[in-house]
Amino acid sequence: MNVFVYPGSFDPVTNGHLDIIKRVLPICDKLIVAVLNNSDKVSAFSVNERVMMLKQVLESEPKIEVDSFDKLLVDYMRLHEATTVVRGLRAVSDFENEFMFALLNKNQYPEMETIFMLTNQKYLYLSSRMVKELAMYGGNIDEYVPAIVKEALARRYSA
Ligand code: ADP
C-alpha cells in the first residue's frame, strides 16, 4: 500500500493546497494531510482549527486522512509506514528550501521519496499568507479558498 504524506502549515488551507491534493490522489492508496504543529511559527489558526477546516473540506474523500504532528517528518512517516512525501512547487522561491528538506529527509530515511507537484498556473502566486493579508484588509478571496475558510477568516479578522 502506497501511503503518501502531504505535510504543511495549512494556515489556512487554500485552493492551491486542494488542487495539489486532488491531483496526487490518483497515484496513491492513502493520503495523510498532516498539519505541522510548529510552535516557532506565529499562526492565525490553532492546529485544531486548521485540522477541522481540512476535515470539513475533504470529508467526502475516503482515501484521505487529516492529522497533525509535532515530531520529525521522517519519524512521523515511519510511524505511519508512509513511503512518499508530497510537496507543492510554486515559483523559484520554493525550490531552494524544498530541495534542502528533501535531501535532509532522504538522508535520515533512505527508503522514502519526496515528490513535487507543480502548482496549477491559476495558483502560482497563492499562499496562505497572501489570503490572510487580503482577508485582513477586506479583499475578495472567493477564488482562493473554500467558503468555510472564507467565513473563518472573516470571523478571525472582524474584531
Ligand atoms: P509550509 O509552511 O510547509 O510551507 P504551506 O501550508 O504553506 O506549508 O504549504 C504546504 C505545501 O503546499 C508546500 O509544499 C507548499 O509549497 C504547497 N503549496 C502552498 N500553496 C500552493 C499553491 N498555491 N500551489 C502549489 N503548492 C502550494
Side-chain angles (χ1 to χ4, degrees), residues 6 8-10 16-17 20 41 87-88 90 94 119 123 126:
Y6 181 26
S9 309
F10 303 103
H17 297 127
I20 298 287
K41 242 181 173 176
R87 295 287 288 174
R90 282 160 297 190
D94 275 340
T119 182
Y123 303 131
L126 174 57

Side-chain angles (χ1 to χ4, degrees), residues 6 14-20 23 88-95 117-131 143-144:
Y6 181 26
T14 69
N15 290 342
H17 297 127
L18 295 175
D19 182 70
I20 298 287
R23 286 159 57 209
L89 276 185
R90 282 160 297 190
V92 195
S93 52
D94 275 340
F95 183 76
M117 302 289 286
L118 283 191
T119 182
N120 185 318
Q121 269 199 34
K122 267 202 309 209
Y123 303 131
L124 179 58
Y125 298 106
L126 174 57
S127 63
S128 299
R129 188 174 152 197
M130 188 199 91
V131 161
E143 55 181 304
Y144 302 135

Side-chain angles (χ1 to χ4, degrees), residues 32 67 71 73-82 109:
I32 306 176
D67 191 17
K71 46 169 79 76
L73 178 61
V74 288
D75 292 335
Y76 181 78
M77 294 200 49
R78 281 201 186 93
L79 191 69
H80 291 271
E81 297 180 356
Y109 183 14

Side-chain angles (χ1 to χ4, degrees), residues 15-84:
N15 290 342
H17 297 127
L18 295 175
D19 182 70
I20 298 287
I21 291 171
K22 193 177 86 197
R23 286 159 57 209
V24 83
L25 269 185
I27 59 168
C28 65
D29 298 310
K30 176 176 164 187
L31 177 66
I32 306 176
V33 181
V35 178
L36 174 63
N37 190 352
N38 181 350
S39 46
D40 292 350
K41 242 181 173 176
V42 180
S43 58
F45 296 99
S46 71
V47 171
N48 200 31
E49 288 171 316
R50 286 180 258 162
V51 166
M52 293 315 290
M53 282 189 269
L54 278 162
K55 281 191 171 161
Q56 274 189 59
V57 294
L58 296 171
E59 70 183 345
S60 58
E61 190 38 74
K63 273 189 186 178
I64 297 182
E65 197 181 300
V66 180
D67 191 17
S68 63
F69 72 109
D70 56 9
K71 46 169 79 76
L72 274 182
L73 178 61
V74 288
D75 292 335
Y76 181 78
M77 294 200 49
R78 281 201 186 93
L79 191 69
H80 291 271
E81 297 180 356
T83 53
T84 307

